[in-house]
Amino acid sequence: MDRRPIQDRSPLEVGALIALATLGIAGLLGLIAVIDADNVASAFGLGIGIAFLVFLTGATIACAIACLKRGRMEIVALGSIVVAGLATDMFVLAAWQEIDSEAYGKIAGIAFVWSFFALVALGLTLAVGTPAVLARSLYLGSVVATVVAGLISTWLIATAGEGTSIAGGGDVSLLPGALIGDDELLRALGAAFVLLSVLWFGALAASRIEQRPPESHVEAHV
């Protein structure tokens, strides 16, 4: 086993180790939750729900590892792995222990929200490669819209009123739409999502248009 200290490892290795640790914890807690469920239907529902959550946050982890492999947005990628792993473990633990805590629910919700927005940003980073002029502008606009949407979502969740909990393996009060109540911020968040979606796909399309065709290496013979 490789016992090198953490400071001697590459960002890719650190990210992979964090992913393995957090997913291992989620897997163990998830198995315990399913085995400890009251009945077969509850156990099946927990299993499906946990698997869906792991695939969703796992997509963020996969994109982050791919970015680390390519040496792109390394700090963001490492942070995304931590946030995605934290969200996964917190939700799985709550499903097992039926945690009913407003503070716990808000922390888990914020972690999950940032895991989603990290997936959006890192996925676009991988998709556009090294963008040219137009694609770069659209890409940067998409990243800005992602950050703005993440900050608004975080504020709305953090300042939400009573009723934020994870109880009974999946209280719908954790959904962002049920947590927010400020009309103007909701309007701003909706606008941010519109801009994000348009800029995301616009950057992808522009990156393909601006790609230079491979130069021919066939020399003309006189």
Side-chain angles (χ1 to χ4, degrees):
M1 180 181 292
D2 190 349
R3 298 183 180 277
R4 286 178 296 158
I6 193 71
Q7 61 269 21
D8 293 339
R9 297 180 182 274
S10 68
L12 176 60
E13 291 177 306
V14 173
L17 287 173
I18 295 173
L20 284 173
T22 54
L23 290 173
I25 293 172
L28 178 60
L29 294 178
L31 285 175
I32 295 174
V34 171
I35 294 172
D36 194 45
D38 295 332
N39 52 65
V40 174
S42 178
F44 179 76
L46 276 174
I48 293 296
I50 291 172
F52 178 79
L53 173 68
V54 171
F55 272 110
L56 192 56
T57 55
T60 302
I61 293 174
C63 287
I65 290 177
C67 284
L68 291 173
K69 177 68 174 179
R70 292 163 175 76
R72 306 195 64 186
M73 297 181 69
E74 291 181 331
I75 296 177
V76 174
L78 283 173
S80 301
I81 293 174
V82 172
V83 170
L86 176 65
T88 305
D89 291 345
M90 291 188 72
F91 273 100
V92 175
L93 178 61
W96 173 36
Q97 292 294 315
E98 298 185 0
I99 297 175
D100 185 5
S101 167
E102 181 176 348
Y104 188 97
K106 288 182 177 182
I107 294 172
I110 290 171
F112 181 80
V113 161
W114 279 108
S115 173
F116 168 75
F117 285 119
L119 171 61
V120 172
L122 295 176
L124 183 59
T125 299
L126 293 173
V128 301
T130 303
V133 179
L134 176 58
R136 184 182 300 111
S137 299
L138 295 173
Y139 169 78
L140 292 176
S142 175
V143 171
V144 170
T146 301
V147 173
V148 170
L151 291 174
I152 294 175
S153 300
T154 299
W155 173 259
L156 292 172
I157 294 174
T159 58
E162 300 295 328
T164 306
S165 61
I166 306 179
D171 189 344
V172 295
S173 64
L174 273 174
L175 296 176
L179 288 172
I180 48 187
D182 190 297
D183 292 340
E184 292 307 316
L185 282 179
L186 262 178
R187 190 188 303 275
L189 182 59
F193 273 117
V194 171
L195 288 174
L196 170 58
S197 60
V198 172
L199 291 170
W200 200 101
F201 287 101
L204 180 60
S207 69
R208 296 301 180 265
I209 294 173
E210 295 179 330
Q211 281 182 345
R212 295 179 61 184
E215 296 181 359
S216 175
H217 296 287
V218 178
E219 297 180 357
H221 295 282
V222 179

